[in-house]
Amino acid sequence: MRVVVIQASFMLYWIPRLRALAQALRARGDELVVVELTSTGTVYSFAECETEGTDKFPEIEWYELFPGEKLPSVPPKRASAVLWRKLEELSPDVVLAGAIAFIAGATAVRWGRFRRRGVTILDNSRLEDVPRPEWVEWVKKRIYRNVDAVLTPAPSHAPSYAHWGIRPDRIFYGLNVVDNAFFEAGSRKARGELEAVRSRLKLWRPFFLGVGRQVAKKNWMGLLAAYERYRLKAGENAWDLVLVGDGEEHPQLERWVQERGLAGVRFDPFCTQAEVCSYHALARCLILPSFYGETWGLVVNEAMASGLPVLVSRQCGCSSVLVREGENGWTFDPGNGKEMTDALERMAGVSDEKWGQMSERSRQIVSEWGLDRFTQGVLEAIDACREVRRGPVSWLDACILWMWNGR
């Protein structure tokens, strides 16, 4: 059986996932072919050449349809037409693709229905993350009626796909995982060279760590306000706050800290995954304060695999799956500044013994959400739709599929 997986771009987290999937398919006599639209100009471009393990591996057929072009500059109709021709050429038995809102997913569903092949969508959407008009929901449901299976992060996301019409026995789990072994090994190595790492990063005091794009939905401004209140209470015993990343809100965040004269806050630029492990080795806790729109939060997986306790907003998609209250961290309402400040105080107040227990618990919990979970979920989804030979559900659905190229 030939399986083709298509996405706007495959890098960073996707590389180890695809490697594991290719090995699993090969072990049972199947073949994986990878098609990406472009690897240029993505949100992870900072790690494009530096992240360990991101080299595309020669044992897999790998096609980039628009090399050197940034996707926003390629009209969706043109991109969809080129992708359709590639699918015609490859003629897969099953297609795996990203969200139906985008070019890869929209084209995959259309091709799968008109060529009567199985289609699995890989997506982590939730109803609460993006409020939509009723007519958009109606169109989305019509498209999902023509999807054969969905791979989503965890059961926490299942109600959204049930709402869009996917049967429970066609919803599979394990999408949002990282290479746990990579982060565990990297942080362990850094802890073995602790003084050298401290000296290189110039981080000597205990600190909360925040990693990610500095955009509105991440709620870093809310965190800074909560941290200011925490620091006023904790005084000289306060932990510092290190924010690693960049984005459109970065100048505003820096300006706010300077104007308030807020001590203990440090901004560091994006770095490779290998370097993130060094921050994990020194940090006392990871915090992710995002609003709705954070459909999962893979930085939490990374930190937990490195043995960090976590503080996570309850609006983050991963919070109900990866955080056990009081065991490996706490959750909080990102719109409630007092709750966030209380969470900072609670974490900073744990004993070294308790911190060690929380560290180990993080590793235990995230170990259930690694590459094996991803591979298992994909194989189950493939098997659920490998014999599918249906066309569009109705003539109206067929029209919608032809008209929608994704964005």
Side-chain angles (χ1 to χ4, degrees), residues 187-222:
S187 59
R188 183 183 296 114
K189 181 176 183 293
R191 288 184 180 111
E193 305 164 351
L194 207 56
E195 292 310 310
V197 174
R198 286 192 188 281
S199 180
R200 176 166 55 81
L201 295 180
K202 297 180 172 55
L203 289 169
W204 305 99
R205 293 173 48 80
F207 63 92
F208 301 100
L209 175 65
V211 179
R213 292 180 297 137
Q214 289 164 2
V215 294
K217 75 174 182 181
K218 299 286 187 177
N219 192 30
W220 299 120
M221 188 64 75

Side-chain angles (χ1 to χ4, degrees), residues 304-317:
M304 288 173 60
S306 296
L308 278 184
V310 292
L311 298 175
V312 182
S313 155
R314 283 193 286 274
Q315 292 184 15
C316 293

Side-chain angles (χ1 to χ4, degrees), residues 140-218:
K140 194 175 180 96
K141 288 178 180 180
R142 303 296 299 205
I143 295 174
Y144 262 119
R145 293 203 313 169
N146 293 275
V147 170
D148 302 306
V150 168
L151 181 75
T152 194
S156 56
H157 288 56
S160 294
Y161 292 92
H163 168 82
W164 291 317
I166 302 296
R167 288 172 13 203
D169 64 334
R170 293 301 179 98
I171 303 174
F172 303 93
Y173 307 115
L175 175 61
N176 282 353
V177 304
V178 303
D179 185 352
N180 290 336
F182 173 87
F183 290 97
E184 183 177 2
S187 59
R188 183 183 296 114
K189 181 176 183 293
R191 288 184 180 111
E193 305 164 351
L194 207 56
E195 292 310 310
V197 174
R198 286 192 188 281
S199 180
R200 176 166 55 81
L201 295 180
K202 297 180 172 55
L203 289 169
W204 305 99
R205 293 173 48 80
F207 63 92
F208 301 100
L209 175 65
V211 179
R213 292 180 297 137
Q214 289 164 2
V215 294
K217 75 174 182 181
K218 299 286 187 177

Side-chain angles (χ1 to χ4, degrees), residues 53-275:
T54 59
D55 54 318
K56 293 166 184 172
F57 30 104
E59 65 269 26
I60 295 179
E61 281 188 66
W62 193 301
Y63 300 94
E64 183 176 356
L65 301 185
F66 299 96
E69 295 189 55
K70 293 183 178 180
L71 202 53
S73 68
V74 182
K77 188 172 182 179
R78 176 189 167 214
S80 182
V82 172
L83 180 53
W84 177 281
R85 289 196 293 271
K86 177 56 70 173
L87 287 169
E88 290 282 88
E89 173 191 327
L90 295 172
S91 189
D93 299 284
V94 173
V95 182
L96 312 175
I100 63 171
F102 301 103
I103 295 165
T107 308
V109 178
R110 183 193 315 134
W111 187 89
R113 288 293 64 83
F114 284 94
R115 292 296 179 259
R116 296 179 180 271
R117 308 290 173 83
V119 179
T120 291
I121 293 299
L122 316 175
D123 193 16
N124 59 7
S125 297
R126 296 181 300 170
L127 279 168
E128 55 267 42
D129 285 309
V130 183
R132 302 172 182 87
E134 286 188 16
W135 71 268
V136 173
E137 284 294 291
W138 181 84
V139 171
K140 194 175 180 96
K141 288 178 180 180
R142 303 296 299 205
I143 295 174
Y144 262 119
R145 293 203 313 169
N146 293 275
V147 170
D148 302 306
V150 168
L151 181 75
T152 194
S156 56
H157 288 56
S160 294
Y161 292 92
H163 168 82
W164 291 317
I166 302 296
R167 288 172 13 203
D169 64 334
R170 293 301 179 98
I171 303 174
F172 303 93
Y173 307 115
L175 175 61
N176 282 353
V177 304
V178 303
D179 185 352
N180 290 336
F182 173 87
F183 290 97
E184 183 177 2
S187 59
R188 183 183 296 114
K189 181 176 183 293
R191 288 184 180 111
E193 305 164 351
L194 207 56
E195 292 310 310
V197 174
R198 286 192 188 281
S199 180
R200 176 166 55 81
L201 295 180
K202 297 180 172 55
L203 289 169
W204 305 99
R205 293 173 48 80
F207 63 92
F208 301 100
L209 175 65
V211 179
R213 292 180 297 137
Q214 289 164 2
V215 294
K217 75 174 182 181
K218 299 286 187 177
N219 192 30
W220 299 120
M221 188 64 75
L223 173 59
L224 288 176
Y227 177 75
E228 182 181 44
R229 290 188 294 271
Y230 155 77
R231 194 166 183 91
L232 284 172
K233 291 183 179 182
E236 62 182 19
N237 295 320
W239 291 1
D240 289 344
L241 172 63
V242 176
L243 299 181
V244 176
D246 203 345
E248 61 194 37
E249 281 203 336
H250 179 80
Q252 178 185 352
L253 297 173
E254 278 199 319
R255 186 166 56 251
W256 193 90
V257 169
Q258 291 167 1
E259 290 174 352
R260 305 283 291 193
L262 180 57
V265 179
R266 172 170 147 179
F267 294 93
D268 283 4
F270 274 126
C271 59
T272 65
Q273 288 180 310
E275 188 71 343

Side-chain angles (χ1 to χ4, degrees), residues 284 309 327 349-360:
R284 297 293 287 174
E327 295 182 28
V350 302
S351 66
D352 288 343
E353 180 182 4
K354 174 65 173 176
W355 188 92
Q357 294 168 355
M358 297 177 78
S359 169
E360 183 56 33

